[in-house]
Amino acid sequence: MTDLNKHIIDLAEDTLSTFSAIASTAQETLTSVHGVSAQGFAQGNTFTGVEAERNLHRINRETQEGYSQLAREPAIARLVIEDPEGNQKVLYVARKYQVAVDEVTLASYQSSMGRLASLPTGDADTINNTEFTVIEKCLLKPTQSSDKLWDSKDNRFDNEELGSQSISSLRQLLSLVDVDAASSFDAMLTGAEPDDVIRQGLIHEIRRTMSLRDQPILDKFQDEIFRLPINSKLIMMGPPGTGKTTTLIKRLSQKIDTQNLAAEEKRYATSDTAGREHARSWKMFTPTELLKHYLSEAFAREDVPARNEDISTWNSEQLRLARNVFGYLQRANNKGKFILKQKADFISQSAIIDPISWYEAIKHHHQERFFNQLMQGKDVISRLDSQIEKSLAEHLSEILTNTKPANIIDVVGRITLIENDIKKSLEQLNRDIEELLKTFANREFKNNRTLFPDLAAHIDLLELEDDDDDESTFDGDDEAEDQVTATSRKTTNNEAFIQYKKAIRSLARYRYNKRSLPKKGVSYAVIQWLGENRVPDKDELLTLGKLASVRNALNRFRNTYRRYVSDIPASYKAFRTKAFGERLYYEKLPEKTIHVSSYELDTILLMGLEAARAMMSNRAISRANNGGLPSLLKTVSSHFYNQVLVDEATDFSVIQLAAMKNLSTLSSESFFACGDFNQRITGVGIRDPKQLAWIANDLRTQHITAVYRQSRILNELAVKLLQASNGDLSAKGELPDSSAHEGLKPVFIEECQDTRAISQWLATRIVEIESMTSPLPTTAVLVQDDSQIKPLADALNEELEPYNLRADPCEGGRTLGEGNNVRIFSVEHIKGLEFEAVFFVGVDKLAETMPELFHKFLYVGFTRAATYLGLTSDGKLPSPLSQMREEFVDDWC
């Protein structure tokens, strides 16, 4: 027996006995512990009230879950560490929780001591003022048989002197050297030896299930990233298979557990504005529903309770925010400003390539428009200040003197401090104006009792957008009036009366200012319908017009904090019309100004979020509300999270990423993302690393390159593809030197376009795979779009029937398939997934239909496979594959 084998046998004995000790202690504690009661904290008076009950419930829940996890998985690593005096000890590391066990040193991986498990052997780190060097490391995967015997399979062993080894089974190894073991007879029959269980290098673990690869211990670089302070802003960049998503999930798992947070981090770990406890105050964004479903099991392994709403696609979050929070989209019971046209496309390529310039232009337009509205109001008030308190007029003039649009937030804050004076003056003006309008309306009503029912019927026939000009926007006197619009239901008599008042009031103000009422919108249509004989006379209109002019001016200073956020859609409409006229940023305008595309809505939402956050940070606004937030800002802030995470970030636009970042709480601003520019498969996805700095000035970029998924052959193929397609070679993957996963060359077939021929070729290759590694490992077939999935699945199932294998059509990216069935996906849905075998069907057709993104789709498809890769082409292989023919073979036989 070699020294290596003897050492590992000793390790196996110690490990399995330690598993039993840890699991038994955890199970005993789990049985005896009943949780802590609130009464136990009553005397200290620190855990009282709802928050105390919530904290105690969480503590009890986590205690129960922790012991349960240790009973199932006692440890994930065994280390031998040495202090500066040369003293060595064995340290076991658990995934998340720990328990006191006699003569066993056990640490949670998420603790500072657990950090040692990520170090390569020979490296050292200082923990609690003591430096420890890792002499030996064995990564473990505990399992328990039906007869309660512990084992650990597919173990990774590394020792400074003995090198790297793969150990298939600790219990099998012990049975081979235990002459008294009942299984030794079986070992004799098979001729197995310790050398068959202990193999040189890191052996590849075949993918048998559709789940994110479990990586209990991160490498040194991943570990440094996931332990960064909770208030960090970082984006991880790296090729596929580097464990980026796993690092994100492990970071979240650690950061929601306050026990693992450093003292300076704990001030961020409080309940958020919505009242969510810290452990629940997080949101992760993914580009597809399929990837969202795929992540759920990975969250469960790390003991992160993930509800459906915790992991979200941006499309669903966009709709929720724009419709329910900001009110930018129409609903059944409110006006809104837009109707979302998901498939509409009004934007030019220049705005897609450089969205930052487009966004900044819109933002500047909104600031100027809003500022000019205030200045116009100030000028009217200065001219007609006899209608309001002179001191108020002087104060407003002082605020706006020697300022600029760029300082609009400061201006709004100062105006908010005198909000009560503004409202007081408006109340008197509103009463005077309302009295006049009711007098006019009552007079016409006496002449015609059906006036308002007739007007309501007329309004229903108009089918006009109530698209008031900027000036008329400020004619309203209450929120209810602002919400009235033409809808699919019938207009009520009360709504007709409100439209009558708006129209008469606008007419009077324009006549007083010696101007004509704009010939658009509902107000103009109402005046036309009334005719000259049913509107007030000249003197009445001038009296009303003077009052309406002052109120219109003063209304510009009412609720400025809210209007600066809610008026963004109006500014955007104006900008869109102006820019299109100047042939900037837009290919065309929508049929109706109320229509907006998803790409445009992203920009409007980001502006709303930035504006709201700026208002929340303004001390004057807080002071004006007795240290709190006004209702709109409070509503917006209730949708902020202590932690925001983004997977596959490069599939999102820089505008979308900035919006996600702005969903983090103002205190933590915690934002963690991961991605790879070589894998951007959306036309709007972020294109340039330089754009990342715009999302946040202090957003760091961290690159990782160590690949743990692919064979050496397929990794080299992916690198050659990047070289041939001018990809980003700085993000190429590098396998660890100890990896023993050499792999097989990919296979291909050309001029194979008939569905039957394709299915026959695929079935032959799939059967080859199963003959080499039975049962069939995870296998995916990628097609160009959903229309190809069902026909190919039907044909492939006929070919696979003799082998009792099935192909699952995974249409629309809504399912992951079942068991070890072959999965058929549209290529657009497989970001973030990984398989042992991948077949790419019709690569030449994909090149024809998606010339701009073809190379990226190809790279994504190539890097989904761990060992087996196959391609079919309807015709000849397209470039750059045609220049890489020598990398492919016909079959694996």
Side-chain angles (χ1 to χ4, degrees):
M1 181 180 298
T2 66
D3 290 342
L4 170 64
N5 289 353
K6 184 178 185 308
H7 182 83
I8 293 181
I9 288 167
D10 291 341
L11 176 150
E13 291 177 338
D14 180 66
T15 299
L16 296 184
S17 64
T18 301
F19 279 179
S20 296
I22 294 173
S24 296
T25 303
Q27 188 62 54
E28 289 170 6
T29 310
L30 186 64
T31 304
S32 62
V33 168
H34 299 289
V36 185
S37 67
Q39 288 77 14
F41 293 96
Q43 291 183 346
N45 199 33
T46 56
F47 279 76
T48 55
V50 176
E51 187 68 20
E53 291 290 341
R54 183 182 296 166
N55 286 335
L56 291 171
H57 176 72
R58 176 181 56 78
I59 292 169
N60 289 332
R61 184 187 69 235
E62 291 179 356
T63 299
Q64 298 284 326
E65 291 171 353
Y67 291 141
S68 295
Q69 188 182 83
L70 283 169
R72 296 189 308 271
E73 185 185 57
I76 56 175
R78 179 188 187 274
L79 310 179
V80 177
I81 58 177
E82 183 177 274
D83 65 19
E85 283 72 41
N87 300 312
Q88 293 187 359
K89 68 176 179 179
V90 175
L91 170 67
Y92 282 88
V93 178
R95 188 183 291 264
K96 185 172 182 179
Y97 301 98
Q98 59 194 56
V99 67
V101 182
D102 291 340
E103 299 182 358
V104 175
T105 304
L106 179 66
S108 164
Y109 175 57
Q110 296 186 354
S111 69
S112 57
M113 199 72 179
R115 190 165 70 229
L116 295 170
S118 288
L119 298 182
T121 54
D123 275 21
D125 200 356
T126 300
I127 310 295
N128 299 327
N129 300 318
T130 301
E131 184 180 73
F132 293 100
T133 301
V134 178
I135 304 300
E136 177 180 292
K137 177 166 68 173
C138 187
L139 302 183
L140 308 166
K141 293 188 177 180
T143 62
Q144 193 175 31
S145 63
S146 57
D147 54 1
K148 303 300 181 183
L149 292 177
W150 282 103
D151 192 5
S152 183
K153 297 183 178 181
D154 298 318
N155 309 279
R156 303 295 177 89
F157 171 84
D158 193 56
N159 182 285
E160 270 197 294
E161 297 179 358
L162 300 175
S164 299
Q165 319 292 328
S166 293
I167 312 167
S168 59
S169 166
L170 297 186
R171 183 154 296 281
Q172 183 184 5
L173 178 62
L174 292 180
S175 71
L176 294 176
V177 297
D178 184 358
V179 294
D180 297 324
S183 59
S184 62
F185 179 72
D186 295 330
M188 179 272 294
L189 291 177
T190 61
E193 296 290 341
D195 287 345
D196 297 323
V197 180
I198 305 171
R199 300 179 62 185
Q200 185 70 31
L202 302 182
I203 305 302
H204 171 65
E205 180 187 349
I206 296 172
R207 306 289 294 143
R208 300 289 186 191
T209 59
M210 268 300 298
S211 60
L212 192 68
R213 186 182 297 272
D214 186 19
Q215 188 182 351
I217 303 293
L218 302 177
D219 67 28
K220 179 180 178 180
F221 301 105
Q222 295 168 330
D223 186 87
E224 290 174 354
I225 292 171
F226 108 92
R227 293 183 191 275
L228 286 172
I230 193 172
N231 58 326
S232 302
K233 292 186 277 292
L234 182 137
I235 182 164
M236 257 186 304
M237 289 295 184
T242 49
K244 299 185 298 295
T245 303
T246 299
T247 305
L248 246 66
I249 294 173
K250 283 190 175 292
R251 172 180 172 79
L252 180 62
S253 178
Q254 189 211 32
K255 298 305 180 187
I256 63 175
D257 186 351
T258 55
Q259 295 182 32
N260 291 317
L261 296 181
E264 59 271 18
E265 293 182 277
K266 290 187 177 180
R267 64 191 179 101
Y268 305 113
T270 59
S271 296
D272 59 26
T273 311
R276 292 178 292 252
E277 61 179 304
H278 173 67
R280 291 289 190 183
S281 182
W282 61 272
K283 173 78 81 171
M284 176 179 267
F285 291 102
T286 71
T288 66
E289 287 289 341
L290 188 64
L291 187 53
K292 171 182 172 179
H293 177 70
Y294 185 63
L295 291 170
S296 59
E297 184 179 325
F299 275 98
R301 278 201 303 264
E302 294 300 326
D303 197 37
V304 177
R307 299 162 300 181
N308 186 56
E309 61 266 30
D310 294 329
I311 311 172
S312 177
T313 63
W314 175 248
N315 284 344
S316 61
E317 185 72 5
Q318 177 205 60
L319 185 63
R320 185 178 69 87
L321 290 171
R323 189 173 186 269
N324 302 337
V325 179
F326 286 95
Y328 292 158
L329 294 180
Q330 282 194 4
R331 298 166 61 184
N333 61 346
N334 90 324
K335 182 177 182 180
K337 301 294 183 181
F338 287 116
I339 295 173
L340 176 61
K341 296 290 185 179
Q342 285 280 7
K343 296 182 179 180
D345 184 13
F346 311 125
I347 307 298
S348 68
Q349 196 65 16
S350 63
I352 294 174
I353 294 174
D354 185 14
I356 295 175
S357 296
W358 176 58
Y359 177 84
E360 294 292 349
I362 298 168
K363 183 177 179 179
H364 178 71
H365 176 83
H366 178 55
Q367 289 174 336
E368 282 205 329
R369 175 176 171 272
F370 194 88
F371 182 80
N372 289 338
Q373 289 172 346
L374 296 180
M375 292 296 289
Q376 291 163 6
K378 175 186 75 72
D379 292 341
V380 171
I381 290 170
S382 298
R383 179 164 50 88
L384 302 172
D385 62 358
S386 60
Q387 303 296 319
I388 63 173
E389 291 287 340
K390 191 171 184 65
S391 60
L392 175 59
E394 291 174 348
H395 204 156
L396 290 173
S397 180
E398 177 191 351
I399 291 172
L400 290 167
T401 300
N402 297 324
T403 189
K404 298 177 180 178
N407 305 121
I408 193 65
I409 302 299
D410 178 61
V411 170
V412 168
R414 295 176 65 188
I415 292 173
T416 304
L417 288 173
I418 59 172
E419 186 81 38
N420 288 335
D421 294 336
I422 294 171
K423 288 180 178 178
K424 184 178 178 181
S425 292
L426 278 170
E427 286 170 0
Q428 184 58 52
L429 284 167
N430 289 337
R431 285 193 291 270
D432 294 344
I433 291 172
E434 186 69 14
E435 185 177 338
L436 284 174
L437 287 170
K438 283 186 175 179
T439 299
F440 302 153
N442 188 45
R443 183 174 63 201
E444 295 303 323
F445 178 71
K446 288 180 179 179
N447 292 332
N448 180 5
R449 295 284 178 174
T450 64
L451 174 66
F452 293 108
D454 292 346
L455 177 56
H458 178 69
I459 291 172
D460 288 336
L461 297 173
L462 292 177
E463 296 185 358
L464 290 173
E465 296 180 45
D466 193 4
D467 194 13
D468 288 335
D469 60 290
D470 277 357
E471 288 189 29
S472 298
T473 302
F474 306 106
D475 282 341
D477 60 354
D478 56 41
E479 295 297 317
E481 182 172 323
D482 291 342
Q483 295 299 317
V484 174
T485 186
T487 65
S488 57
R489 62 176 176 79
K490 290 186 176 181
T491 303
T492 66
N493 291 345
N494 184 59
E495 289 170 345
F497 174 53
I498 290 174
Q499 292 288 10
Y500 169 85
K501 290 193 294 182
K502 288 175 66 176
I504 297 298
R505 196 171 51 215
S506 292
L507 177 66
R509 183 171 55 79
Y510 274 96
R511 290 277 178 91
Y512 176 79
N513 290 290
K514 300 178 180 179
R515 294 157 58 197
S516 298
L517 184 68
K519 297 180 179 181
K520 65 174 184 177
V522 176
S523 291
Y524 178 77
V526 170
I527 295 299
Q528 290 295 105
W529 181 81
L530 289 171
E532 284 294 329
N533 62 326
R534 288 195 291 185
V535 299
D537 61 31
K538 179 180 178 181
D539 290 339
E540 290 174 327
L541 286 175
L542 290 177
T543 300
L544 175 62
K546 182 177 182 180
L547 292 173
S549 294
V550 177
R551 189 181 63 176
N552 180 285
L554 198 56
N555 261 337
R556 297 162 191 258
F557 300 93
R558 183 189 64 163
N559 294 333
T560 47
Y561 77 88
R562 179 180 63 81
R563 193 165 61 79
Y564 188 70
V565 176
S566 61
D567 207 34
I568 290 171
S571 290
Y572 180 73
K573 288 180 182 179
F575 173 86
R576 184 168 61 182
T577 302
K578 178 176 177 289
F580 178 74
E582 298 171 355
R583 299 189 177 184
L584 294 172
Y585 302 121
Y586 298 91
E587 293 288 346
K588 59 183 178 181
L589 290 178
E591 293 181 7
K592 295 183 178 181
T593 60
I594 202 169
H595 291 170
V596 67
S597 69
S598 181
Y599 194 74
E600 293 174 291
L601 187 58
D602 287 337
T603 296
I604 294 164
L605 265 180
L606 175 56
M607 286 185 65
L609 286 166
E610 284 192 338
R613 290 175 76 90
M615 299 293 178
M616 293 172 200
S617 302
N618 187 278
R619 292 183 179 181
I621 294 175
S622 175
R623 191 162 69 248
N625 285 272
N626 299 316
L629 291 175
S631 58
L632 173 65
L633 301 185
K634 190 173 182 179
T635 298
V636 174
S637 70
S638 69
H639 295 271
F640 292 170
Y641 303 88
N642 287 355
Q643 298 182 82
V644 174
L645 306 100
V646 186
D647 194 23
E648 303 294 348
T650 49
D651 272 358
F652 298 105
S653 72
V654 67
I655 302 295
Q656 291 171 337
L657 290 173
M660 295 173 198
K661 178 263 170 190
N662 278 286
L663 289 174
S664 61
T665 54
L666 270 68
S667 58
S668 74
E669 291 196 285
S670 178
F671 179 74
F672 244 68
C674 67
D676 176 16
F677 282 104
N678 288 323
Q679 294 185 78
R680 177 184 63 82
I681 59 172
T682 60
V684 301
I686 188 168
R687 295 163 178 259
D688 190 341
K690 295 178 182 178
Q691 293 179 338
L692 293 172
W694 182 78
I695 297 172
N697 291 332
D698 53 349
L699 177 66
R700 291 174 49 195
T701 302
Q702 183 76 44
H703 295 274
I704 55 177
T705 58
V707 173
Y708 299 99
R709 174 189 301 165
Q710 285 193 297
S711 67
R712 197 170 299 280
I713 286 176
L714 290 188
N715 183 66
E716 290 173 356
L717 179 73
V719 172
K720 289 175 181 177
L721 177 61
L722 290 180
Q723 292 172 331
S725 58
N726 297 316
D728 179 12
L729 288 173
S730 67
K732 66 181 181 180
E734 299 176 357
L735 267 68
D737 293 337
S738 56
S739 173
H741 185 29
E742 190 64 23
L744 300 168
K745 278 197 168 189
V747 296
F748 83 115
I749 184 171
E750 291 181 295
E751 299 185 352
C752 181
Q753 56 181 306
D754 178 71
T755 301
R756 178 63 59 192
I758 292 172
S759 63
Q760 290 173 346
W761 184 85
L762 289 172
T764 303
R765 304 286 81 78
I766 290 168
V767 171
E768 285 179 356
I769 294 172
E770 190 178 39
S771 68
M772 289 183 278
T773 172
S774 182
L776 185 70
T778 53
T779 302
V781 177
L782 310 182
V783 297
Q784 183 179 329
D785 56 54
D786 278 354
S787 65
Q788 297 174 292
I789 293 178
K790 187 66 166 57
L792 182 59
D794 291 341
L796 186 55
N797 275 322
E798 287 188 31
E799 302 297 330
L800 292 176
E801 187 177 42
Y803 308 98
N804 292 299
L805 293 172
R806 284 201 56 78
D808 287 340
C810 303
E811 295 170 293
R814 292 184 293 271
T815 176
L816 284 167
E818 296 183 9
N820 66 337
N821 291 354
V822 176
R823 279 89 166 168
I824 304 180
F825 298 98
S826 170
V827 67
E828 66 181 306
H829 296 302
I830 50 84
K831 279 291 291 291
L833 308 185
E834 56 181 290
F835 310 88
E836 195 67 23
V838 168
F839 295 94
F840 214 130
V841 173
V843 290
D844 55 334
K845 292 302 179 184
L846 186 67
E848 291 175 11
T849 56
M850 297 183 178
E852 181 192 355
L853 295 172
F854 167 63
H855 299 123
K856 295 186 182 297
F857 271 112
L858 201 60
Y859 180 74
V860 168
F862 275 25
T863 54
R864 298 311 93 196
T867 305
Y868 306 96
L869 176 66
L871 306 178
T872 80
S873 182
D874 288 17
K876 294 292 184 181
L877 284 178
S879 178
L881 294 176
S882 55
Q883 287 81 49
M884 300 169 60
R885 289 177 182 274
E886 68 278 5
E887 307 297 333
F888 295 83
V889 294
D890 294 331
D891 55 51
W892 289 305
C893 293

